Every structure is written in C-alpha cells, then in structure tokens.
Amino acid sequence: MSDHTSPSASHDAFFALHHGLPRQGPGSDATTRRLLALAGRLPERPRVLDLGCGPGRSALLLAAEANAEVTAVDTHEPFLDELRAAAAARGLGGAVRPVLGDMGALPFPDGSFDLVWAESSVFVIGFDRALAEWRRLLAPGGTLVLTECVWTTPSPAPGARAFWDEHYPLRTVPELAAAAVDAGYHVLGAFTQPDGDWDEYYVPLAAHADAADTSVPGMAGAVAAARAEIAVRREHGGDYGYAGLVLRPADPRWPTRPEREGDRAAVHRLTEAAFGSPAEAELVDALRADPDAWLPGLSVVAEAPDGTVAAHALITRCRVGGMPAAALAPVSVAPEHQRTGAGQAVNRAVLDAARLAGERLVLVLGHPEYYPRFGFVRASEYGIKPGFEVPDDAMMALVLDGSGPVPSGTIAYPAAFGV
C-alpha cells in the first residue's frame, strides 16, 4: 500500500474486494447448523440477533431452518443490501430485518433476543467485551453463539505467532471457555471448525484478489493484505483455526462452587434425602476416599438463597476400553428444591469444571429425556457400552473435547460402584 493512500481509499478498496463473497469469514452452512443444534430447544419463533452479519449467510439459514425472526446488524450498508435482495429472493423478507448499526453500541432493550449470534465477527470488539456487553440482550434461557480464531497448538510457529500478535492476539479453545465461565456463562458446546470452513472464505477471496484492478486507489494494499493472510494460513494452518462456542448465562438463582471440606456432611444428608436411602450418600463418601476415582474440583454444589447446599453433582474417573474417561454420578437435589432449576445449574457447573480440567469424555446412566439437554447422546453411538445390562438410551456420553478420537469399548467404573 502506498504511503499516499488515504484511509478512506483503503477502506473503500477493502470493501470493494469483499463485495459479492458468500461470507466474510471462515464458516459453512454445516457449522451454522452444528452451532444451532448445540443451542438446544428454541421457542417456536425465536428472536435472533445476528451481529456483524455481512451479506447474511447465517441470517438466511436461521430464518429458513429455525423459523427465526432475525435482526441482522452490520456497519456496511452494501452488505445489508445484498442481504435484503437474498432474503426477498428466498421469500424471507418478512423474517429478516437488516439494521445498519455498530455491534459495540447496540440500541436494543434488555432481554430482546433468544439467540445472539456472531460468526466470524466478534473480533471487531473482542471476545471478553462481547461476553460482558451482549449478555443483557438475552432473554431468560437465551444463548450466545460465537465463532473466534484460536490457537490449535500450545506452541505455534514464530511466523504464525508474529502475524496474529500484530493483528488479533489469539487464545486456545480451553482459554476461551475458561473466560466464558469466569464471566458467568455455561459452555453448552465448543468445537474447532473443519478446515473446509476456511476454503469457503479464502477460495472466493483469492479469486477476487486475482481479478481486482490494482490501479484503483487502495486496491493494491487490500489485495496484498488478503494474499498475505491467505499465505499465512497456507504456511501455518496447523497452528490455528476457527472455533465455535455456544454459551448460556448461568442461572443467578443457583450460584455454584466446588465442594469444600466443610460441605461433606451436608452433601451426605442431601444425597440421602434426594434418593430416599443411604446407598448413594455412602457411594459419594467411598468415591471421595478413593484416590484413583476422585477428581479434585469435580464435586460441585449449588447453594440455596440461605447459603445451604441445595444440589450436588459428582464426576469421578472411569475408563472406556482402558482409556481415561469420567462418570457423572450421582446427582442429587434436595427434595424442597427439585424442579426449580437447581439440578440443571449444578449439572452444567460440574460439566464446565470437567471441560476446564481437560476431561474429554463424560458418561452418565440416567433419564434419556433429561440428560440430552446437556448435550449427551447414546453412548452406543461411539461404540461405548457398560459391563451390565441397561436400556441403550439410558447410557449416554458427552464429548467435551472432540479434537481427537473418542475411546470405545466397555466402561470400567470405580470399585465403589460395585459393578
């Protein structure tokens, strides 16, 4: 870029280069659908806020496939014009409302949306600021969906590190998940997007760069910057990627925390009361005494308004086909607090804790109409089975880290389970 190129010419050239691209960052319809599935059950007509929507690829899919009313926000009017035309052509003009606006200064009232969505755009204001500022926009039970560029290795190459440190410092998926939990969210799901999502963005962008008229003021710089970014990806693509995170604000009625030593008697009483017998309470005590089973930080309680223990969830070490895994059991809610959200709160909190501790696979034997809300699916889908007879839909698995193969085989529980 010439030193004499004006900022306005650079700005105009950047957007001219990007006009007509199907999307403005790495992504795919398949990734949008995966994120939508992780968001769980939605209202019949969900209200969606799509921030940094660009030409609206995600907005159109959400309107068509989730029956959503989408408010799509971008700072660039020509992108919104593209979206208006595409929505009208698909018969979605009444479902998509393009809005010229700044994601850092949103005018919408608190609690206006069931989903706040930002694919390939949160970098504009930053992940942490988005967590802080966009939470108020969510209705009770609402969900925040973000995709963000991340390191995929603990030791990126110096060339990749230099490029991203200059443009937008990256973190890993676990670091982003930890930031979300610290900010008061539960992580409903997190995954690294496939490499093909980059091709969906870079292949059309490279074609635009090849066809661009570099005599236009600012265009030579815009083309050079695009090609440099593509070259870094080609050279160091194994070091970084894009990741999707699906987050939900924690229920403020039920604060959660790791079990303390002084909670043990209360947890024992709670578990016995919840199950109506001492067996499960004795199981918790036995697991706590087994150093091969006990996982520090993965015994979590939810507190009632008066500070007493209202619910408890425990994850301990098990094995699948000889490989480490984790077992969620038991989960107990005081009888007076059942069906109030305390159980959901403590389940989500202990799963967050397991994710942040680096656990990759959690298993549960439980009600097949309850645990899927946390992302559990039939364990048999992964070739996992218990060593005893149970209904197939009652033995469930949740993959917290899908970056490697999921172990398969027979579950070996700690001795305290007696199975």
Side-chain angles (χ1 to χ4, degrees):
M1 184 184 298
S2 167
D3 290 341
H4 302 293
T5 301
S6 70
S8 63
S10 298
H11 173 275
D12 292 346
F14 172 87
F15 282 108
L17 183 65
H18 283 73
H19 282 164
L21 295 179
R23 57 181 70 248
Q24 295 298 319
S28 63
D29 291 348
T31 288
T32 300
R33 292 187 179 104
R34 185 175 178 185
L35 293 165
L36 183 60
L38 287 170
R41 185 176 299 174
L42 297 172
E44 183 176 344
R45 186 70 163 161
R47 301 161 298 166
V48 177
L49 178 63
D50 185 4
L51 296 171
C53 65
R57 188 67 174 258
S58 299
L60 294 167
L61 187 150
L62 293 168
E65 300 188 14
N67 193 37
E69 295 178 347
V70 183
T71 301
V73 176
D74 204 278
T75 58
H76 191 55
E77 187 69 52
F79 285 158
L80 299 178
D81 289 338
E82 290 182 42
L83 174 54
R84 288 186 188 96
R90 301 183 190 195
L92 297 171
V96 178
R97 181 170 71 102
V99 174
L100 185 68
D102 179 355
M103 67 170 65
L106 296 167
F108 308 109
D110 294 359
S112 295
F113 300 98
D114 304 298
L115 279 176
V116 173
W117 198 278
E119 284 193 61
S120 306
S121 62
V122 72
F123 70 90
V124 173
I125 67 169
F127 185 83
D128 298 297
R129 182 179 168 191
L131 295 181
E133 294 186 4
W134 295 351
R135 177 177 182 150
R136 70 168 186 82
L137 299 167
L138 291 168
T143 303
L144 177 60
V145 177
L146 307 171
T147 68
E148 174 78 310
C149 200
V150 296
W151 294 124
T152 55
T153 175
S155 302
R161 173 75 73 180
F163 178 85
W164 285 109
D165 283 354
E166 177 185 352
H167 290 86
Y168 184 73
L170 305 186
R171 286 177 278 183
T172 64
V173 172
E175 287 170 340
L176 293 179
V181 171
D182 286 345
Y185 290 83
H186 293 305
V187 181
L188 307 191
F191 63 92
T192 302
Q193 297 168 220
D195 287 343
D197 282 12
W198 290 86
D199 294 337
E200 295 242 1
Y201 174 46
Y202 279 159
V203 170
L205 178 59
H208 277 216
D210 290 342
D213 180 358
T214 54
S215 68
V216 172
M219 186 58 73
V223 167
R227 286 176 172 163
E229 184 177 328
I230 294 169
V232 171
R233 176 66 190 174
R234 187 182 303 116
E235 181 74 17
H236 301 295
D239 290 348
Y240 64 93
Y242 243 82
L245 293 98
V246 181
L247 312 172
R248 181 168 296 157
D251 188 337
R253 300 174 301 166
W254 301 108
T256 59
R257 57 171 176 79
E259 173 193 290
R260 301 171 186 146
E261 186 172 351
D263 297 321
R264 293 180 180 182
V267 167
H268 186 103
R269 292 191 299 270
L270 164 72
T271 308
E272 184 170 347
F275 285 91
S277 76
E280 283 76 11
E282 292 169 358
L283 170 62
V284 173
D285 293 341
L287 290 168
R288 192 184 286 112
D290 181 353
D292 293 328
W294 193 256
L295 296 172
L298 301 191
S299 178
V300 174
V301 300
E303 293 183 339
D306 63 1
T308 60
V309 175
H312 172 253
L314 178 63
I315 288 178
T316 52
R317 174 65 67 224
C318 68
R319 304 188 85 79
V320 172
M323 300 298 293
L328 172 59
V331 177
S332 310
V333 182
E336 66 271 24
H337 295 304
Q338 292 176 4
R339 296 179 177 83
T340 64
Q344 289 196 56
V346 78
N347 268 311
R348 293 204 184 278
V350 79
L351 292 172
D352 285 338
R355 186 187 300 275
L356 299 187
E359 295 298 328
R360 298 186 56 217
L361 174 66
V362 180
L363 303 164
V364 68
L365 176 60
H367 201 295
E369 293 184 5
Y370 180 72
Y371 283 98
R373 72 187 63 186
F374 305 105
F376 285 92
V377 300
R378 295 181 188 219
S380 59
E381 294 184 16
Y382 297 105
I384 299 170
K385 61 182 180 179
F388 48 90
E389 290 297 320
V390 297
D392 184 63
D393 61 355
M395 189 75 248
M396 290 169 276
L398 173 63
V399 176
L400 298 176
D401 178 0
S403 62
V406 178
S408 61
T410 302
I411 306 166
Y413 284 96
F417 281 93
V419 294

